[in-house]
C-alpha cells in the first residue's frame, strides 16, 4: 500500500468545519489505497508529500487551519557518538527538525495575519535523560523542542500558540512494537521496570493531550513542554 520509508504525520484542525486531516509521507501508490486508508481512519490522506506541497494543497482545499500538529517519525539507530555516520545525522535532522521548521514557516504568516492559531510539536522526552548510543535522536528532538520555545515567544504577540508534547515509552510499531513490548511477558517486564506507570502509553491518551493543546481552549498556554512518559524519568 505504501513505501517503507520514514513518515511525517501532520494533523490540521479546522474548528469551523470540524475537519481533521492526517498527512503522511508514506506515499500511497494508488488511489484505491488512499481510499482504503480514509475508510479506516477519520482522516484525509493528501497527495502532497513535502511541506511546500502540503501547505499548497491544504490551503487550496480548506483554507488556513486553526492548528498544525507536527508528529514526525524517523528510525532510531543506536550509535556511539564516535561512530555516528554523518549521513545518518543529516537525514535525521532533515526529517525531525527541518520538516517541522519548514511547515511552520509556511503556515505561520497566514496565522499571524488572522491573529489566531496553534502549533503542537511532538518531540521526545529523551533530552531529560540521555542514554548511551542515542545521541542523534536526543540531540535533534531537543532541537525541535527549542525551536518550539523560540516560536512561542515570536508568535505570541499575534495570538498564535506553540507547545510541545514530549513522549517516551509510547506504544508505536516503529519504536515500541506490540509483539515485543506488549504481547511478550519479557518485554512487558522491561517496560514495567523502566516506567513508573508500569506500561507503555496509549495512543488515545497522547491524542487527547495533543487535541487539547490544538483546540484553542487554553489560548493563554504557550511555550510549554509537556512530558508524556508515565513518570519517566
Amino acid at each position: 500500500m505504501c513505501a517503507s520509508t520514514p513518515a511525517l504525520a501532520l494533523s490540521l484542525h479546522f474548528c469551523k468545519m470540524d475537519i481533521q486531516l492526517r498527512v503522511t509521507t508514506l506515499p500511497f501508490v494508488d488511489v484505491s489505497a488512499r481510499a482504503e486508508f480514509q475508510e479506516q481512519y477519520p482522516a484525509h490522506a493528501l497527495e502532497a508529500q513535502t511541506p511546500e506541497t502540503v501547505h499548497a494543497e491544504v490551503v487550496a482545499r480548506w483554507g488556513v487551519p486553526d492548528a498544525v500538529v507536527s508528529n514526525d517519525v524517523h528510525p532510531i539507530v543506536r550509535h556511539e557518538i564516535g561512530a555516528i555516520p554523518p549521513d545518518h545525522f543529516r537525514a535525521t535532522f532533515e526529517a525531525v527538525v527541518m520538516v517541522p521548521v519548514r511547515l511552520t514557516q509556511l503556515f505561520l504568516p497566514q496565522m499571524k495575519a488572522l491573529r489566531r492559531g496553534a502549533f503542537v510539536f511532538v518531540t521526545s522526552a529523551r533530552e531529560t535523560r540521555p542514554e548511551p548510543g542515542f545521541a542523534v535522536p536526543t540531540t535533534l528532538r531537543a532541537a525541535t523542542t527549542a525551536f518550539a520555545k523560540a516560536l512561542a515567544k515570536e508568535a505570541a504577540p499575534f495570538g498564535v500558540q506553540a507547545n510541545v508534547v514530549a513522549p517516551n515509552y509510547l506504544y508505536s510499531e516503529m519504536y515500541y512494537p506490540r509483539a515485543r513490548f506488549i504481547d511478550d511477558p519479557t518485554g512487558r517486564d522491561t517496560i514495567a521496570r523502566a516506567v513508573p506507570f508500569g506500561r507503555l502509553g496509549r495512543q488515545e491518551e497522547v491524542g487527547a493531550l495533543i487535541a487539547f493543546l490544538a483546540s484553542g481552549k487554553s489560548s493563554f498556554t504557550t511555550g510549554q513542554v509537556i512530558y508524556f512518559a508515565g513518570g519517566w524519568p
Side-chain angles (χ1 to χ4, degrees), residues 123-130 137-139 141-143 145-146 149 164 166 225 227 232:
T123 62
S124 175
R126 285 184 176 276
E127 66 168 323
T128 65
R129 188 176 175 180
T138 300
T139 301
R141 292 299 191 183
T145 296
K149 293 178 181 179
V164 172
V225 180
Y227 297 103
W232 178 97

Side-chain angles (χ1 to χ4, degrees), residues 131-142:
E131 299 170 291
F134 298 103
V136 173
T138 300
T139 301
L140 297 179
R141 292 299 191 183

Side-chain angles (χ1 to χ4, degrees), residues 26 41-42 47 49 57 60 77 86 107-108 116 130 132 142 146 150 186 196 198:
L26 297 178
Y41 300 100
E47 296 180 9
Q49 299 299 317
E57 184 174 350
V77 181
F107 282 104
L108 180 61
R116 53 94 175 147
T186 301

Side-chain angles (χ1 to χ4, degrees), residues 72-181:
D72 311 281
V73 298
H74 194 76
I76 292 178
V77 181
R78 185 168 187 156
H79 292 293
E80 293 184 0
I81 287 175
I84 297 171
D87 287 346
H88 172 65
F89 194 98
R90 293 189 189 100
T92 307
F93 175 81
E94 287 293 329
V96 306
V97 180
M98 281 309 303
V99 166
V101 167
R102 187 63 184 134
L103 284 168
T104 301
Q105 290 178 317
L106 291 163
F107 282 104
L108 180 61
Q110 293 159 308
M111 289 185 175
K112 287 168 68 174
L114 295 171
R115 302 194 69 83
R116 53 94 175 147
F119 290 90
V120 183
F121 299 88
V122 182
T123 62
S124 175
R126 285 184 176 276
E127 66 168 323
T128 65
R129 188 176 175 180
E131 299 170 291
F134 298 103
V136 173
T138 300
T139 301
L140 297 179
R141 292 299 191 183
T144 306
T145 296
F147 170 76
K149 293 178 181 179
L151 172 64
K153 289 278 189 178
E154 193 169 313
F158 299 90
V160 178
Q161 299 169 261
N163 291 291
V164 172
V165 173
N168 198 9
Y169 293 106
L170 168 65
Y171 161 68
S172 75
E173 285 303 308
M174 176 171 283
Y175 299 134
Y176 294 100
R178 175 178 294 276
R180 181 178 176 188
F181 292 105

Side-chain angles (χ1 to χ4, degrees), residues 20 40 75 85 159 198 205 221:
Q20 285 188 319
Q40 186 175 0
E205 293 172 322
T221 300

Side-chain angles (χ1 to χ4, degrees), residues 48-70:
Q49 299 299 317
T50 67
E52 290 75 16
T53 56
V54 164
H55 173 262
E57 184 174 350
V58 166
V59 172
R61 292 175 67 177
W62 292 286
V64 181
D66 296 301
V68 173
V69 180
S70 179

